Amino acid sequence: DIIDIESQVTMISNNTCMSRLFSERLSKIYDLLYSQRAYVHHYVGEGMDEKEFAEARENIGFLEKDYLDSLTVKDDNDE
């Protein structure tokens, strides 16, 4: 009510807490939507290949693993 805002922004910063975001939110939601083929027809209709969905999920997995690895390295350095 104090400020009239027309749009909203979400910030994702680069730290090890991101692994939780990838594993608990993005991966699960992506898997759920893709298993039900939700919205796939829109993207395919616009020219996207279905193989790109698998690549996108794989990239999310790589990001999740990278953040978990960096968390492990950080914990090893603290000891």
Side-chain angles (χ1 to χ4, degrees):
D1 292 354
I2 297 172
I3 300 173
D4 185 25
I5 299 175
E6 293 183 17
S7 63
Q8 297 178 5
V9 175
T10 300
M11 179 181 154
I12 299 177
S13 62
N14 189 14
N15 63 33
T16 54
C17 295
M18 291 300 297
S19 65
R20 179 183 241 172
L21 173 70
F22 288 119
S23 64
E24 294 180 3
R25 294 185 182 171
L26 293 178
S27 298
K28 288 181 182 179
I29 291 171
Y30 182 90
D31 292 341
L32 176 66
L33 289 174
Y34 188 69
S35 70
Q36 297 175 359
R37 309 289 291 169
Y39 305 106
V40 172
H41 62 282
H42 291 293
Y43 292 101
V44 172
E46 292 295 322
M48 185 174 173
D49 189 16
E50 288 195 41
K51 294 177 192 174
E52 293 178 69
F53 289 101
E55 290 175 20
R57 178 59 180 95
E58 187 177 329
N59 290 339
I60 292 172
F62 288 143
L63 283 171
E64 181 181 351
K65 183 183 179 306
D66 288 345
Y67 278 105
L68 288 174
D69 289 346
S70 67
L71 182 61
T72 304
V73 168
K74 181 181 176 187
D75 288 342
D76 290 343
N77 290 339
D78 289 342
E79 294 175 355

Coordinates of all heavy atoms in Angstrom, one line a residue:
D1 N 0.8 -1.2 0.0 CA 0.0 0.0 0.0 C 0.9 1.3 0.0 O 0.4 2.3 -0.4 CB -0.9 0.0 1.2 CG -2.0 -1.1 1.1 OD1 -2.1 -1.7 0.1 OD2 -2.7 -1.2 2.1
I2 N 2.1 1.2 0.5 CA 2.9 2.3 0.6 C 3.5 2.7 -0.8 O 3.5 3.8 -1.2 CB 4.1 2.1 1.5 CG1 3.6 1.9 3.0 CG2 5.1 3.2 1.5 CD1 4.6 1.4 4.0
I3 N 3.9 1.7 -1.6 CA 4.5 1.9 -2.9 C 3.6 1.2 -3.9 O 3.3 0.0 -3.7 CB 5.9 1.4 -3.0 CG1 6.8 2.1 -1.9 CG2 6.5 1.6 -4.4 CD1 8.2 1.6 -1.9
D4 N 3.2 1.8 -5.0 CA 2.5 1.2 -6.0 C 3.5 0.5 -7.0 O 4.2 1.2 -7.7 CB 1.7 2.3 -6.8 CG 0.8 1.6 -7.8 OD1 0.4 0.4 -7.7 OD2 0.4 2.3 -8.8
I5 N 3.5 -0.8 -7.0 CA 4.4 -1.6 -7.8 C 3.6 -2.3 -8.9 O 2.7 -3.0 -8.6 CB 5.2 -2.6 -7.0 CG1 6.0 -1.8 -5.9 CG2 6.1 -3.4 -7.8 CD1 6.8 -2.7 -4.9
E6 N 4.1 -2.2 -10.1 CA 3.4 -2.8 -11.2 C 4.0 -4.2 -11.5 O 3.3 -5.0 -12.1 CB 3.6 -2.0 -12.5 CG 2.8 -0.7 -12.4 CD 2.9 0.1 -13.7 OE1 3.2 -0.5 -14.7 OE2 2.6 1.3 -13.7
S7 N 5.2 -4.5 -11.1 CA 5.8 -5.8 -11.3 C 6.5 -6.3 -10.1 O 6.9 -5.5 -9.2 CB 6.7 -5.8 -12.5 OG 7.7 -4.9 -12.3
Q8 N 6.8 -7.6 -10.0 CA 7.6 -8.2 -8.9 C 8.8 -8.8 -9.5 O 8.8 -9.3 -10.6 CB 6.7 -9.2 -8.2 CG 5.5 -8.5 -7.5 CD 4.7 -9.6 -6.8 OE1 5.0 -10.7 -6.7 NE2 3.5 -9.1 -6.3
V9 N 9.8 -9.0 -8.6 CA 11.1 -9.6 -9.0 C 11.5 -10.6 -7.9 O 11.3 -10.3 -6.8 CB 12.2 -8.5 -9.2 CG1 13.5 -9.2 -9.5 CG2 11.8 -7.5 -10.2
T10 N 12.0 -11.7 -8.4 CA 12.5 -12.7 -7.4 C 14.0 -12.8 -7.7 O 14.5 -12.9 -8.8 CB 11.9 -14.1 -7.7 OG1 10.5 -14.0 -7.5 CG2 12.5 -15.1 -6.7
M11 N 14.8 -12.7 -6.6 CA 16.3 -12.7 -6.7 C 16.7 -14.1 -6.3 O 16.4 -14.6 -5.2 CB 16.9 -11.7 -5.8 CG 18.4 -11.7 -5.9 SD 19.1 -10.4 -4.8 CE 20.6 -11.1 -4.4
I12 N 17.6 -14.7 -7.1 CA 18.2 -16.0 -6.7 C 19.7 -15.6 -6.7 O 20.3 -15.3 -7.7 CB 18.0 -17.1 -7.8 CG1 16.5 -17.3 -7.9 CG2 18.7 -18.3 -7.4 CD1 16.1 -18.4 -8.9
S13 N 20.3 -15.7 -5.5 CA 21.7 -15.3 -5.3 C 22.5 -16.6 -5.4 O 22.0 -17.7 -5.3 CB 21.9 -14.6 -4.0 OG 21.6 -15.4 -2.9
N14 N 23.8 -16.4 -5.6 CA 24.7 -17.5 -5.8 C 25.4 -17.9 -4.5 O 26.3 -17.4 -4.0 CB 25.8 -17.1 -6.8 CG 26.6 -18.3 -7.2 OD1 26.3 -19.4 -7.0 ND2 27.8 -18.0 -7.9
N15 N 24.8 -18.9 -3.8 CA 25.4 -19.5 -2.6 C 24.9 -20.9 -2.5 O 24.1 -21.4 -3.2 CB 25.0 -18.7 -1.3 CG 23.6 -18.6 -1.0 OD1 22.8 -19.6 -1.3 ND2 23.1 -17.5 -0.5
T16 N 25.4 -21.6 -1.4 CA 25.2 -23.0 -1.3 C 23.8 -23.4 -0.9 O 23.3 -24.5 -1.0 CB 26.2 -23.6 -0.3 OG1 26.1 -22.9 0.9 CG2 27.6 -23.6 -0.8
C17 N 23.0 -22.4 -0.5 CA 21.6 -22.6 -0.1 C 20.8 -22.9 -1.4 O 19.7 -23.4 -1.3 CB 21.0 -21.5 0.6 SG 21.8 -21.2 2.2
M18 N 21.4 -22.6 -2.5 CA 20.7 -22.8 -3.8 C 20.4 -24.3 -4.1 O 19.4 -24.6 -4.7 CB 21.5 -22.2 -4.9 CG 21.5 -20.7 -4.9 SD 19.9 -20.0 -5.1 CE 19.5 -20.6 -6.7
S19 N 21.2 -25.2 -3.5 CA 21.0 -26.6 -3.8 C 19.7 -27.0 -3.3 O 19.0 -27.9 -3.9 CB 22.1 -27.5 -3.1 OG 22.1 -27.3 -1.7
R20 N 19.2 -26.5 -2.2 CA 17.9 -26.8 -1.6 C 16.8 -26.3 -2.6 O 15.8 -27.0 -2.8 CB 17.7 -26.1 -0.3 CG 16.4 -26.4 0.3 CD 16.3 -25.7 1.7 NE 16.2 -26.7 2.7 CZ 16.2 -26.4 4.0 NH1 16.5 -25.2 4.4 NH2 16.0 -27.3 4.9
L21 N 17.0 -25.1 -3.2 CA 16.0 -24.6 -4.1 C 15.9 -25.5 -5.3 O 14.8 -25.8 -5.8 CB 16.4 -23.2 -4.6 CG 15.5 -22.6 -5.7 CD1 14.1 -22.3 -5.2 CD2 16.2 -21.4 -6.3
F22 N 17.0 -26.0 -5.8 CA 17.0 -26.8 -7.0 C 16.4 -28.2 -6.7 O 15.6 -28.7 -7.4 CB 18.4 -27.1 -7.6 CG 19.0 -25.9 -8.3 CD1 20.1 -25.2 -7.8 CD2 18.3 -25.3 -9.4 CE1 20.6 -24.1 -8.5 CE2 18.8 -24.2 -10.0 CZ 20.0 -23.6 -9.6
S23 N 16.8 -28.8 -5.5 CA 16.3 -30.1 -5.2 C 14.9 -30.1 -4.8 O 14.1 -31.0 -5.1 CB 17.2 -30.8 -4.2 OG 17.2 -30.1 -3.0
E24 N 14.5 -29.2 -3.9 CA 13.2 -29.3 -3.3 C 12.1 -28.6 -4.1 O 10.9 -28.9 -4.0 CB 13.2 -28.7 -1.9 CG 14.0 -29.5 -1.0 CD 14.1 -28.9 0.4 OE1 13.4 -27.9 0.7 OE2 14.8 -29.4 1.3
R25 N 12.5 -27.6 -4.9 CA 11.4 -26.9 -5.7 C 11.5 -27.1 -7.2 O 10.6 -27.7 -7.7 CB 11.6 -25.4 -5.3 CG 11.2 -25.1 -3.9 CD 11.2 -23.6 -3.6 NE 11.0 -23.4 -2.2 CZ 11.1 -22.2 -1.7 NH1 11.4 -21.2 -2.4 NH2 10.8 -22.1 -0.4
L26 N 12.5 -26.6 -7.8 CA 12.6 -26.6 -9.2 C 12.5 -28.0 -9.8 O 11.8 -28.3 -10.7 CB 13.9 -25.9 -9.7 CG 13.9 -24.4 -9.5 CD1 15.2 -23.9 -10.0 CD2 12.8 -23.7 -10.2
S27 N 13.3 -28.9 -9.3 CA 13.4 -30.3 -9.8 C 12.0 -31.0 -9.6 O 11.5 -31.6 -10.6 CB 14.5 -31.1 -9.1 OG 15.7 -30.6 -9.4
K28 N 11.5 -30.9 -8.4 CA 10.2 -31.6 -8.2 C 9.1 -31.0 -9.0 O 8.3 -31.8 -9.6 CB 9.9 -31.5 -6.7 CG 10.7 -32.4 -5.9 CD 10.4 -32.3 -4.4 CE 11.3 -33.2 -3.6 NZ 11.0 -33.1 -2.2
I29 N 9.0 -29.7 -9.1 CA 7.9 -29.1 -9.9 C 8.1 -29.4 -11.4 O 7.2 -29.8 -12.1 CB 7.9 -27.6 -9.7 CG1 7.4 -27.3 -8.3 CG2 7.0 -26.9 -10.7 CD1 7.6 -25.8 -7.9
Y30 N 9.4 -29.3 -11.9 CA 9.6 -29.7 -13.3 C 9.2 -31.1 -13.6 O 8.6 -31.4 -14.5 CB 11.1 -29.4 -13.6 CG 11.4 -29.7 -15.0 CD1 11.4 -28.7 -16.0 CD2 11.8 -31.0 -15.5 CE1 11.6 -28.9 -17.3 CE2 12.1 -31.2 -16.8 CZ 12.0 -30.2 -17.7 OH 12.3 -30.5 -19.0
D31 N 9.7 -32.0 -12.7 CA 9.3 -33.4 -12.9 C 7.8 -33.7 -12.9 O 7.3 -34.5 -13.7 CB 10.0 -34.3 -11.8 CG 11.5 -34.3 -12.0 OD1 12.0 -34.0 -13.1 OD2 12.2 -34.7 -11.0
L32 N 7.2 -33.0 -12.0 CA 5.7 -33.2 -11.9 C 5.0 -32.7 -13.1 O 4.2 -33.4 -13.7 CB 5.2 -32.5 -10.7 CG 3.6 -32.5 -10.5 CD1 3.2 -33.9 -10.2 CD2 3.2 -31.5 -9.4
L33 N 5.4 -31.5 -13.6 CA 4.7 -30.9 -14.8 C 5.1 -31.7 -16.0 O 4.2 -32.0 -16.8 CB 5.1 -29.5 -14.9 CG 4.6 -28.5 -13.9 CD1 5.2 -27.1 -14.1 CD2 3.1 -28.4 -14.0
Y34 N 6.3 -32.1 -16.1 CA 6.7 -32.9 -17.3 C 6.1 -34.3 -17.3 O 5.7 -34.8 -18.4 CB 8.2 -32.9 -17.5 CG 8.7 -33.5 -18.8 CD1 8.5 -32.8 -20.0 CD2 9.2 -34.8 -18.9 CE1 8.8 -33.3 -21.2 CE2 9.6 -35.3 -20.1 CZ 9.4 -34.6 -21.2 OH 9.8 -35.1 -22.5
S35 N 6.0 -34.9 -16.2 CA 5.4 -36.2 -16.2 C 3.9 -36.2 -16.6 O 3.4 -37.1 -17.1 CB 5.5 -36.8 -14.8 OG 4.6 -36.2 -13.8
Q36 N 3.2 -35.0 -16.4 CA 1.9 -34.9 -16.8 C 1.8 -34.2 -18.2 O 0.7 -34.0 -18.7 CB 1.1 -34.0 -15.8 CG 1.0 -34.7 -14.4 CD 0.4 -33.7 -13.4 OE1 0.0 -32.6 -13.7 NE2 0.2 -34.2 -12.2
R37 N 2.9 -33.9 -18.8 CA 3.0 -33.3 -20.1 C 2.4 -32.0 -20.1 O 1.9 -31.5 -21.2 CB 2.5 -34.2 -21.2 CG 3.0 -35.6 -21.2 CD 4.4 -35.8 -21.6 NE 4.5 -35.5 -23.1 CZ 5.6 -35.3 -23.7 NH1 6.7 -35.4 -23.0 NH2 5.6 -35.0 -24.9
A38 N 2.4 -31.3 -19.0 CA 1.7 -30.0 -18.9 C 2.5 -29.0 -19.7 O 3.7 -28.9 -19.5 CB 1.6 -29.6 -17.4
Y39 N 1.9 -28.2 -20.5 CA 2.5 -27.1 -21.3 C 3.4 -27.6 -22.4 O 3.9 -26.7 -23.1 CB 3.1 -26.1 -20.4 CG 2.3 -25.5 -19.3 CD1 2.4 -25.9 -18.0 CD2 1.2 -24.6 -19.6 CE1 1.6 -25.4 -17.0 CE2 0.4 -24.1 -18.6 CZ 0.6 -24.5 -17.3 OH -0.2 -24.0 -16.3
V40 N 3.7 -28.8 -22.5 CA 4.7 -29.3 -23.5 C 4.2 -29.0 -24.9 O 5.0 -28.5 -25.7 CB 4.9 -30.8 -23.3 CG1 5.8 -31.3 -24.5 CG2 5.6 -31.1 -22.0
H41 N 2.9 -29.1 -25.1 CA 2.3 -28.9 -26.4 C 2.5 -27.4 -26.9 O 2.7 -27.2 -28.0 CB 0.9 -29.3 -26.5 CG 0.0 -28.5 -25.5 ND1 -0.1 -28.8 -24.2 CD2 -0.9 -27.5 -25.8 CE1 -0.9 -28.0 -23.6 NE2 -1.4 -27.2 -24.6
H42 N 2.5 -26.5 -25.9 CA 2.7 -25.1 -26.2 C 4.1 -24.9 -26.8 O 4.3 -24.2 -27.8 CB 2.5 -24.2 -25.0 CG 1.1 -24.1 -24.6 ND1 0.1 -23.5 -25.3 CD2 0.5 -24.5 -23.4 CE1 -1.0 -23.6 -24.7 NE2 -0.8 -24.2 -23.5
Y43 N 5.1 -25.5 -26.1 CA 6.5 -25.3 -26.5 C 6.8 -26.0 -27.8 O 7.5 -25.5 -28.7 CB 7.4 -25.7 -25.4 CG 7.4 -24.8 -24.2 CD1 6.6 -25.2 -23.0 CD2 8.0 -23.6 -24.1 CE1 6.6 -24.4 -21.9 CE2 7.9 -22.8 -23.0 CZ 7.2 -23.2 -21.9 OH 7.1 -22.4 -20.8
V44 N 6.3 -27.2 -27.9 CA 6.5 -27.9 -29.2 C 5.8 -27.2 -30.3 O 6.4 -27.1 -31.4 CB 6.0 -29.4 -29.0 CG1 6.0 -30.1 -30.4 CG2 6.8 -30.1 -28.0
G45 N 4.7 -26.7 -30.1 CA 4.0 -25.9 -31.2 C 4.7 -24.7 -31.6 O 4.6 -24.2 -32.7
E46 N 5.6 -24.1 -30.7 CA 6.4 -22.9 -31.0 C 7.7 -23.3 -31.6 O 8.5 -22.4 -31.9 CB 6.6 -22.1 -29.8 CG 5.3 -21.4 -29.3 CD 4.7 -20.4 -30.3 OE1 5.5 -19.7 -31.0 OE2 3.5 -20.4 -30.5
G47 N 8.0 -24.6 -31.8 CA 9.2 -25.0 -32.5 C 10.3 -25.7 -31.6 O 11.3 -26.0 -32.0
M48 N 10.0 -25.8 -30.3 CA 11.0 -26.4 -29.4 C 10.9 -27.9 -29.6 O 9.8 -28.5 -29.7 CB 10.6 -26.1 -28.0 CG 11.6 -26.5 -27.0 SD 11.2 -25.8 -25.3 CE 12.3 -26.7 -24.3
D49 N 12.1 -28.6 -29.6 CA 12.2 -30.0 -29.7 C 12.0 -30.7 -28.3 O 12.4 -30.1 -27.3 CB 13.5 -30.4 -30.3 CG 13.6 -31.9 -30.6 OD1 12.6 -32.5 -30.7 OD2 14.8 -32.3 -30.8
E50 N 11.3 -31.8 -28.3 CA 11.1 -32.5 -27.0 C 12.3 -32.9 -26.3 O 12.4 -33.1 -25.1 CB 10.1 -33.6 -27.1 CG 8.7 -33.2 -27.4 CD 7.7 -34.3 -27.2 OE1 7.8 -35.0 -26.2 OE2 6.7 -34.3 -28.0
K51 N 13.4 -33.1 -27.0 CA 14.7 -33.5 -26.5 C 15.2 -32.4 -25.5 O 16.0 -32.6 -24.6 CB 15.7 -33.8 -27.5 CG 15.4 -35.0 -28.4 CD 16.4 -35.1 -29.5 CE 16.0 -36.1 -30.5 NZ 16.9 -36.2 -31.7
E52 N 14.9 -31.1 -25.8 CA 15.3 -30.0 -25.0 C 14.8 -30.1 -23.6 O 15.4 -29.5 -22.7 CB 15.0 -28.7 -25.7 CG 15.7 -28.5 -27.0 CD 15.3 -27.2 -27.7 OE1 15.6 -26.1 -27.2 OE2 14.6 -27.3 -28.8
F53 N 13.6 -30.7 -23.4 CA 13.1 -30.8 -22.1 C 14.0 -31.7 -21.2 O 14.3 -31.5 -20.1 CB 11.7 -31.4 -22.1 CG 10.7 -30.4 -22.6 CD1 10.2 -30.5 -23.9 CD2 10.2 -29.4 -21.8 CE1 9.3 -29.6 -24.4 CE2 9.2 -28.5 -22.2 CZ 8.8 -28.6 -23.5
A54 N 14.5 -32.8 -21.8 CA 15.4 -33.7 -21.1 C 16.7 -33.0 -20.8 O 17.3 -33.2 -19.7 CB 15.6 -35.0 -21.9
E55 N 17.2 -32.3 -21.8 CA 18.4 -31.5 -21.6 C 18.3 -30.5 -20.4 O 19.2 -30.3 -19.6 CB 18.8 -30.8 -22.9 CG 19.3 -31.7 -23.9 CD 19.6 -31.0 -25.2 OE1 19.8 -29.8 -25.2 OE2 19.6 -31.7 -26.3
A56 N 17.1 -29.8 -20.4 CA 16.9 -28.9 -19.3 C 16.9 -29.5 -18.0 O 17.4 -29.0 -17.0 CB 15.6 -28.1 -19.6
R57 N 16.2 -30.7 -17.9 CA 16.2 -31.4 -16.6 C 17.6 -31.8 -16.2 O 18.0 -31.8 -15.0 CB 15.2 -32.6 -16.7 CG 15.2 -33.4 -15.4 CD 14.7 -32.6 -14.2 NE 14.6 -33.3 -13.0 CZ 15.6 -33.4 -12.1 NH1 16.7 -32.7 -12.3 NH2 15.4 -34.1 -11.0
E58 N 18.3 -32.3 -17.2 CA 19.7 -32.7 -16.9 C 20.6 -31.5 -16.4 O 21.4 -31.7 -15.5 CB 20.3 -33.3 -18.2 CG 21.7 -33.9 -18.0 CD 22.2 -34.5 -19.3 OE1 21.3 -35.0 -20.1 OE2 23.4 -34.5 -19.5
N59 N 20.4 -30.4 -17.0 CA 21.1 -29.2 -16.6 C 20.7 -28.8 -15.1 O 21.6 -28.4 -14.4 CB 20.8 -28.0 -17.5 CG 21.5 -28.2 -18.9 OD1 22.4 -29.0 -19.0 ND2 20.9 -27.5 -19.9
I60 N 19.5 -28.9 -14.8 CA 19.0 -28.6 -13.4 C 19.8 -29.6 -12.4 O 20.2 -29.2 -11.4 CB 17.5 -28.7 -13.2 CG1 16.8 -27.6 -14.0 CG2 17.1 -28.7 -11.7 CD1 15.3 -27.7 -14.0
G61 N 19.8 -30.9 -12.8 CA 20.6 -31.9 -12.0 C 22.0 -31.5 -11.9 O 22.6 -31.7 -10.8
F62 N 22.7 -31.1 -12.9 CA 24.1 -30.7 -12.9 C 24.3 -29.5 -11.9 O 25.2 -29.4 -11.1 CB 24.6 -30.3 -14.2 CG 24.8 -31.5 -15.1 CD1 24.6 -31.4 -16.5 CD2 25.3 -32.7 -14.6 CE1 24.8 -32.5 -17.3 CE2 25.5 -33.8 -15.5 CZ 25.2 -33.7 -16.8
L63 N 23.4 -28.5 -12.0 CA 23.5 -27.3 -11.1 C 23.3 -27.8 -9.7 O 24.1 -27.3 -8.8 CB 22.4 -26.3 -11.5 CG 22.7 -25.4 -12.7 CD1 21.4 -24.6 -13.0 CD2 23.8 -24.5 -12.4
E64 N 22.3 -28.6 -9.4 CA 22.1 -29.1 -8.1 C 23.4 -29.8 -7.5 O 23.8 -29.6 -6.4 CB 20.9 -30.1 -8.1 CG 20.6 -30.6 -6.7 CD 19.4 -31.6 -6.8 OE1 18.8 -31.7 -7.8 OE2 19.2 -32.2 -5.7
K65 N 24.0 -30.7 -8.4 CA 25.2 -31.4 -8.0 C 26.3 -30.4 -7.7 O 27.1 -30.6 -6.8 CB 25.6 -32.4 -9.1 CG 26.8 -33.3 -8.7 CD 27.2 -34.2 -9.8 CE 28.3 -35.0 -9.5 NZ 29.5 -34.3 -9.1
D66 N 26.5 -29.4 -8.6 CA 27.6 -28.5 -8.4 C 27.4 -27.7 -7.1 O 28.4 -27.5 -6.3 CB 27.6 -27.4 -9.5 CG 28.1 -28.0 -10.8 OD1 28.7 -29.1 -10.8 OD2 27.8 -27.4 -11.9
Y67 N 26.2 -27.3 -6.7 CA 26.0 -26.7 -5.4 C 26.3 -27.6 -4.3 O 26.8 -27.2 -3.2 CB 24.7 -26.0 -5.4 CG 24.6 -24.7 -6.0 CD1 24.0 -24.5 -7.3 CD2 25.2 -23.6 -5.5 CE1 23.9 -23.3 -7.9 CE2 25.1 -22.3 -6.1 CZ 24.5 -22.2 -7.3 OH 24.5 -21.0 -8.0
L68 N 25.8 -28.8 -4.4 CA 26.1 -29.8 -3.3 C 27.6 -30.1 -3.2 O 28.1 -30.2 -2.0 CB 25.3 -31.1 -3.6 CG 23.8 -31.0 -3.4 CD1 23.2 -32.4 -3.8 CD2 23.5 -30.7 -1.9
D69 N 28.3 -30.2 -4.3 CA 29.8 -30.4 -4.2 C 30.5 -29.2 -3.6 O 31.4 -29.4 -2.8 CB 30.3 -30.6 -5.6 CG 30.0 -31.9 -6.2 OD1 29.5 -32.8 -5.5 OD2 30.1 -32.1 -7.5
S70 N 30.0 -28.0 -3.9 CA 30.7 -26.8 -3.3 C 30.4 -26.7 -1.8 O 31.2 -26.3 -1.0 CB 30.2 -25.5 -4.0 OG 28.9 -25.3 -3.7
L71 N 29.2 -27.2 -1.4 CA 28.9 -27.3 0.0 C 29.7 -28.3 0.7 O 30.2 -28.1 1.8 CB 27.4 -27.6 0.2 CG 26.8 -27.7 1.6 CD1 27.0 -26.3 2.3 CD2 25.4 -28.1 1.7
T72 N 30.0 -29.4 0.1 CA 30.8 -30.5 0.7 C 32.3 -30.0 0.8 O 32.9 -30.2 1.8 CB 30.8 -31.7 -0.2 OG1 29.5 -32.2 -0.4 CG2 31.6 -32.8 0.4
V73 N 32.8 -29.3 -0.2 CA 34.1 -28.7 -0.1 C 34.2 -27.7 1.0 O 35.2 -27.7 1.7 CB 34.5 -28.1 -1.5 CG1 35.8 -27.3 -1.4 CG2 34.6 -29.2 -2.5
K74 N 33.2 -26.9 1.1 CA 33.2 -25.9 2.2 C 33.2 -26.5 3.6 O 33.9 -26.1 4.5 CB 31.9 -25.0 2.1 CG 31.8 -23.9 3.1 CD 30.6 -23.1 2.9 CE 30.5 -22.1 4.1 NZ 29.2 -21.4 4.0
D75 N 32.4 -27.6 3.7 CA 32.4 -28.3 5.0 C 33.8 -29.0 5.3 O 34.2 -29.0 6.4 CB 31.3 -29.4 5.0 CG 29.9 -28.8 5.1 OD1 29.8 -27.6 5.5 OD2 29.0 -29.5 4.8
D76 N 34.4 -29.5 4.3 CA 35.7 -30.1 4.4 C 36.8 -29.1 4.8 O 37.7 -29.4 5.6 CB 36.2 -30.8 3.1 CG 35.4 -32.1 2.8 OD1 34.7 -32.6 3.8 OD2 35.4 -32.5 1.7
N77 N 36.7 -27.9 4.3 CA 37.6 -26.8 4.6 C 37.4 -26.3 6.1 O 38.4 -25.8 6.7 CB 37.5 -25.7 3.6 CG 38.0 -26.0 2.3 OD1 38.8 -27.0 2.1 ND2 37.6 -25.3 1.3
D78 N 36.2 -26.4 6.6 CA 35.9 -25.9 7.9 C 36.5 -26.8 9.0 O 36.7 -26.4 10.1 CB 34.4 -25.8 8.1 CG 33.8 -24.6 7.3 OD1 34.6 -23.7 6.9 OD2 32.6 -24.6 7.1
E79 N 36.7 -28.1 8.6 CA 37.2 -29.0 9.6 C 38.6 -28.9 9.7 O 39.5 -28.6 10.1 CB 36.9 -30.5 9.2 CG 35.4 -30.8 9.2 CD 35.1 -32.2 8.6 OE1 36.0 -32.9 8.1 OE2 34.0 -32.5 8.7

